[in-house]
Amino acid sequence: MKRYFQVVWAVLWKDLRIELRTKDVFTSMAVFAALALLIFNFAFELRIPDKSMVVPGVLWVTIAFAGVLGLGRAFISEKDRGSLAGLLLAPVDRSAIYFGKMLASLIFILVVEAFILPLIVVFFNVPLITAPLLLILLLGTIGFAAVGTIFSALAVNTRAREVLLPVLLFPVLLPLLIAGIRTTIGLLEGQSLAEHANWLQLIVFFDILFLVVAFLTFDYVVEE
Amino acid sequence: MSQPLIRIAGLRKAFGRHRVLRGIDIDIEAGSSVILLGPNGAGKTTMLRILATLSKATSGDVQIAGVSVNDNAEGIRRYLGMVSHSPLLYGDLSAEENLTFYARLYGVSENDGRRDDLLQRVGLHHRRKDLVRTYSRGMVQRLAIARALLHNPPILLLDEPDTGLDPQAAEMMTDLLREIGGSERTIVMTTHHLERGLELADRVLILSGGRLVFDERISGLSYGDLRPLYDQYVGTGTP
């Protein structure tokens, strides 16, 4: 078991090290998210009387679209530089590679969220940075990274991989996005997290389901 | 008779309707050096990828040290080191960081000096802190050999490792492979460079159309002898 976690850590360490050096993933995700927020801000200013009404949708859609950019790089960059085989040759249960990649993607998306939350507060003037909302964002992002990483591995051996990832991912993400948006609406309206226990349970169930599915299937997903 | 280190039996592989390997049977003894020749599309790389557990056979079996890749691929990977034309390295990490990463993947201690020793052997110790993307192609391939040897595998799989190297770098790599091969390590190598392959190998296999068409021990076989044989079995194309 210790070896398993060593490999998870090795993959995570490697991805973080490369990202700290190149900033490729963060830059593309952050710039995309900032531009999306700017466009949403101007678009809704023209027609919506109270911009705070659209904040939950703007928040989750921006995270989803920006996140796909990062998730797409999780395995495609390994394939492009020809290093995927090096990972798969490791004498360890291959799901350890999945969890290393998933944790790296999770951290990248959380960093981008930390960057865009203050921007949303400024653009939309909504008190978004509260403990319950941060918890929902964290849980939702775990599910997003879990399913996105396995689909990124699935898409990597296909010809239209850049297109295939969002096409596969968004229909599966729909329950998570709906639950996230519903809970965020309630929290912004001053309701407590307990009043949205069903949505919260759905998010937690989604997270566990896809982490287990990925653990069981990753070896088959990356197999030729 | 002792059990061969590598046993390939009735190996077939198809991608959809395209059959790449059509029933290969080979036994490879421990300590031997085998070169696998054949034109493009003969199935050399596919066979090596199946040996490396990177691809699954459609039917047939590969056993390494008596263990089938279908039963324990994870355990078998510990026996294998692989060098291909793609170096399996990260350009944005230094040589030292690349080897540290692979040491962790293979459960090799980072403090036993093996990493530094290998960097010395491949002549890259003085450049160990530099990012790999600043290396020449020849240096990258030497580092790829160090990476493949990090866990001291008894089997080294080489898939056209000399692709893209200038003659001097290719010669240097051949010398390095000869040095690290020794009598203990088993080497299976695909190449398009027949003469260079002969320098390293003690047995020649030729694949053509997914079938094994030639299998001989070298024992004095020169390039002049092998070239007409190669042309006879696969035609006058490459190599």
Side-chain angles (χ1 to χ4, degrees):
Chain A
M1 205 60 191
K2 190 181 164 201
R3 268 281 296 139
Y4 189 90
F5 288 111
Q6 273 177 347
V7 172
V8 173
W9 165 243
V11 175
L12 174 63
W13 172 85
K14 184 266 297 172
D15 277 2
L16 292 180
R17 191 108 186 160
I18 291 175
E19 182 57 24
L20 282 171
R21 204 159 271 159
T22 64
K23 296 172 186 66
D24 283 347
V25 177
F26 175 76
T27 306
S28 58
M29 285 166 74
V31 169
F32 177 88
L35 286 173
L37 287 177
L38 201 64
I39 292 165
F40 278 136
N41 182 43
F42 287 123
F44 291 131
E45 196 164 27
L46 298 175
R47 297 185 64 90
I48 306 289
D50 181 2
K51 282 197 288 183
S52 66
M53 291 163 62
V54 296
V55 163
V58 167
L59 171 68
W60 285 92
V61 167
T62 304
I63 291 170
F65 285 166
V68 165
L69 293 179
L71 288 166
R73 300 308 301 160
F75 283 97
I76 291 170
S77 60
E78 297 281 356
K79 185 81 174 176
D80 286 349
R81 63 166 84 94
S83 50
L84 185 59
L87 292 178
L88 300 180
L89 278 166
V92 70
D93 188 318
R94 283 175 173 164
S95 62
I97 295 162
Y98 164 81
F99 282 110
K101 284 279 175 193
M102 193 282 282
L103 286 172
S105 294
L106 176 66
I107 290 170
F108 297 157
I109 299 171
L110 288 175
V111 170
V112 170
E113 287 173 4
F115 169 72
I116 64 171
L117 280 177
L119 288 181
I120 294 179
V121 172
V122 171
F123 285 160
F124 294 88
N125 196 23
V126 173
L128 207 54
I129 305 173
T130 62
L133 199 73
L134 293 180
L135 176 67
I136 292 296
L137 265 182
L138 175 65
L139 291 172
T141 309
I142 290 172
F144 182 33
V147 72
T149 306
I150 192 80
F151 279 24
S152 170
L154 192 68
V156 82
N157 284 321
T158 62
R159 266 178 294 182
R161 55 198 186 185
E162 308 275 6
V163 180
L164 195 65
L165 178 61
V167 169
L168 288 173
L169 185 58
F170 286 130
V172 179
L173 275 182
L174 217 52
L176 185 76
L177 288 175
I178 291 170
I181 290 169
R182 289 282 184 183
T183 316
T184 309
I185 291 170
L187 292 174
L188 287 179
E189 287 173 353
Q191 295 162 3
S192 71
L193 202 54
E195 292 175 73
H196 294 274
N198 289 346
W199 292 117
L200 187 62
Q201 283 168 5
L202 176 65
I203 295 173
V204 172
F205 176 74
F206 187 98
D207 292 359
I208 294 170
L209 175 72
F210 276 98
L211 286 171
V212 171
V213 166
F215 173 74
L216 295 174
T217 62
F218 184 72
D219 203 4
Y220 301 100
V221 166
V222 290
E223 195 174 86
E224 268 184 18
Chain B
M1 191 178 162
S2 65
Q3 172 99 344
L5 183 62
I6 302 171
R7 167 160 284 171
I8 300 168
L11 192 68
R12 291 170 197 276
K13 176 72 179 180
F15 294 101
R17 295 172 68 179
H18 178 57
R19 289 187 291 168
V20 180
L21 297 176
R22 297 164 183 250
I24 306 282
D25 297 281
I26 306 168
D27 282 352
I28 298 172
E29 290 79 30
S32 57
S33 295
V34 177
I35 54 163
L36 194 55
L37 302 171
N40 290 328
K44 306 185 297 293
T45 295
T46 302
M47 198 176 102
L48 227 56
R49 287 182 69 82
I50 293 171
L51 275 175
T53 77
L54 291 172
S55 182
K56 278 221 162 158
T58 306
S59 66
D61 192 23
V62 172
Q63 290 182 8
I64 292 182
V67 179
S68 168
V69 292
N70 298 318
D71 296 336
N72 186 7
E74 190 183 315
I76 279 174
R77 288 198 280 270
R78 188 162 290 284
Y79 283 81
L80 308 171
M82 188 170 191
V83 179
S84 68
H85 39 86
S86 172
L88 316 184
L89 294 166
Y90 296 89
D92 290 308
L93 296 180
S94 67
E96 202 171 61
E97 288 168 336
N98 267 287
L99 294 191
T100 299
F101 169 61
Y102 277 101
R104 289 172 182 168
L105 277 192
Y106 282 88
V108 176
S109 168
E110 293 170 45
N111 304 317
D112 66 357
R114 180 148 182 85
R115 190 183 60 182
D116 284 342
D117 176 47
L118 281 166
L119 284 168
Q120 294 277 13
R121 283 175 76 180
V122 299
L124 291 171
H125 195 262
H126 65 295
R127 294 284 308 269
R128 67 190 183 282
K129 303 274 184 200
D130 296 345
L131 296 185
V132 170
R133 66 177 146 85
T134 65
Y135 284 14
S136 70
R137 170 80 183 146
M139 291 164 75
V140 168
Q141 281 305 78
R142 273 150 54 203
L143 183 60
I145 292 170
R147 172 194 52 71
L149 293 174
L150 202 56
H151 58 298
N152 200 18
I155 300 171
L156 202 52
L157 304 175
L158 307 169
D159 185 15
E160 298 178 19
D162 47 2
T163 300
L165 295 182
D166 60 52
Q168 196 184 3
E171 192 55 45
M172 196 184 282
M173 203 190 66
T174 305
D175 291 343
L176 183 61
L177 287 172
R178 194 183 294 119
E179 182 194 323
I180 55 148
S183 58
E184 298 298 311
R185 213 180 306 273
T186 306
I187 294 179
V188 182
M189 174 179 173
T190 72
T191 182
H192 281 293
H193 199 288
L194 212 148
E195 204 167 358
R196 198 174 299 134
L198 275 179
E199 285 180 39
L200 282 170
D202 51 34
R203 183 176 167 193
V204 176
L205 307 176
I206 300 177
L207 280 185
S208 182
R211 290 193 173 87
L212 184 66
V213 294
F214 182 84
D215 179 358
E216 287 290 337
R217 298 201 173 277
I218 288 178
S219 56
L221 200 67
S222 68
Y223 175 73
D225 301 324
L226 188 57
R227 179 78 234 192
L229 280 169
Y230 182 87
D231 291 342
Q232 178 193 330
Y233 283 106
V234 302
T236 53
T238 53

